[in-house]
């Protein structure tokens, strides 16, 4: 197990290194800079570039940036003058995390539950309902779902607030909009896995022993059907916990989404790199944790030295 953990850790560390390098040079390849607007004179532009280190050779900037990253320094925002990127992320991330946890909980309960019901009621109304939910969740983008929910349930029928993120009622519509694609994914995956497990030898053996139906379902079918779900939990969890840039913008959630959109519009290089690297680091960390959990749950993974996700 230790060998498996070390291997996954090395892969995760290399992934983060490659991510940071690619993000840095990709940002530097973008034409222009944050100080190319008409409001800046050549003298002001030169002073600001020197202040942020943009006047140095790219390789020197890269070495300095990587050194700062090792110390946990994500740089200073260009648009929010003098404000550390780390402070911006630490202030906004709790909002995205709160929305993501709500969406993850909703998607897991509804998606897994719907998948189980669909498999147990194959070719019946509940099964067809799960198919409809999956098609809607996969086919319609989150920003369309968010806009429709906002228009119908906040404007036409003012049941919920239009925007902001202050009370529980404010969280319902963005949670639904963010969780719907994951509900669709989990329900279809759980249904398929349940149907595959239902035809396996150990389930047939359990039935032949005279176990009650609910014992076979929950102790054998559901338990083993959850394993494939763990394979996609890493990126899905990270994506939800980081929130959705579009959903957050539509519902005016003061999370990372608004800052990311704003950083692109203002060419705030430091903030763009900081947010992208933070998201990548978060994703890799969650994937690492899921890989270890998968290895604990299914010993075949760690013994074979492979893991999904």
């Amino acid at each position: 197990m230790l060998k498996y953990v070390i291997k996954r850790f090395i892969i995760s560390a290399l992934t983060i290194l490659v991510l940071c390098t690619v993000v840095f040079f990709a940002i530097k390849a973008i034409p222009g800079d944050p100080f190319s607007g008409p409001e800046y004179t050549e003298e002001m532009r030169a002073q600001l570039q020197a202040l942020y280190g943009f006047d140095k050779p790219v390789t020197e900037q890269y070495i300095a940036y990587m050194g700062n990253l090792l110390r946990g320094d994500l740089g200073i925002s260009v648009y929010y003058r003098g404000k550390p990127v780390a402070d911006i992320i630490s202030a906004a991330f709790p909002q995205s995390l709160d929305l993501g946890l709500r969406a993850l909980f909703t998607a897991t309960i509804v998606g897994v539950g719907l998948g189980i019901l669909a498999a147990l009621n194959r070719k019946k109304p509940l099964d067809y309902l799960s198919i409809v939910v999956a098609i809607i969740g996969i086919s319609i983008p989150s920003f369309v779902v968010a806009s429709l929910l906002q228009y119908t349930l906040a404007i036409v029928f003012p049941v919920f607030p239009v925007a902001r993120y202050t009370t529980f009622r404010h969280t319902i519509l963005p949670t639904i909009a963010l969780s719907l694609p994951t509900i669709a994914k989990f329900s279809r995956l759980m249904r398929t896995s349940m149907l595959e497990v239902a035809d396996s030898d150990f389930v047939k053996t359990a039935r032949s022993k005279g176990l009650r139906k609910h014992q076979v379902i929950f102790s054998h079918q559901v338990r083993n059907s959850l394993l494939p779900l763990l394979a996609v939990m890493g990126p899905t969890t990270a994506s939800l916990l980081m929130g959705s840039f579009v959903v957050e913008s539509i519902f005016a959630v003061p999370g990372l989404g608004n800052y990311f959109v704003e950083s692109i519009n203002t060419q705030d290089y430091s903030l763009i790199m900081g947010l992208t690297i933070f998201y990548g680091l978060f994703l890799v960390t969650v994937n690492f944790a899921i890989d270890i959990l998968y290895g604990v749950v299914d010993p075949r993974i760690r013994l074979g030295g492979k893991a999904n996700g």
Side-chain angles (χ1 to χ4, degrees), residues 39-54:
E39 67 272 20
Y40 297 101
T41 63
E42 286 298 324
E43 183 179 355
M44 292 172 60
R45 189 167 179 266
Q47 289 177 348
L48 288 170
Q49 284 184 329
L51 177 64
Y52 287 93
F54 295 162

Side-chain angles (χ1 to χ4, degrees), residues 43-111:
E43 183 179 355
M44 292 172 60
R45 189 167 179 266
Q47 289 177 348
L48 288 170
Q49 284 184 329
L51 177 64
Y52 287 93
F54 295 162
D55 59 332
K56 298 177 181 178
V58 176
T59 53
E60 188 174 337
Q61 292 183 47
Y62 172 71
I63 294 173
Y65 188 75
M66 294 301 291
N68 290 334
L69 283 181
L70 292 175
R71 295 192 296 270
D73 183 6
L74 296 175
I76 305 296
S77 171
V78 175
Y79 181 73
Y80 299 95
R81 301 290 170 80
K83 194 168 184 178
V85 173
D87 290 350
I88 295 175
I89 293 175
S90 63
F93 180 58
Q95 304 297 327
S96 295
L97 180 64
D98 180 77
L99 175 59
L101 287 173
R102 294 174 188 271
L104 179 62
F105 178 79
T106 302
T108 302
I109 297 300
V110 178

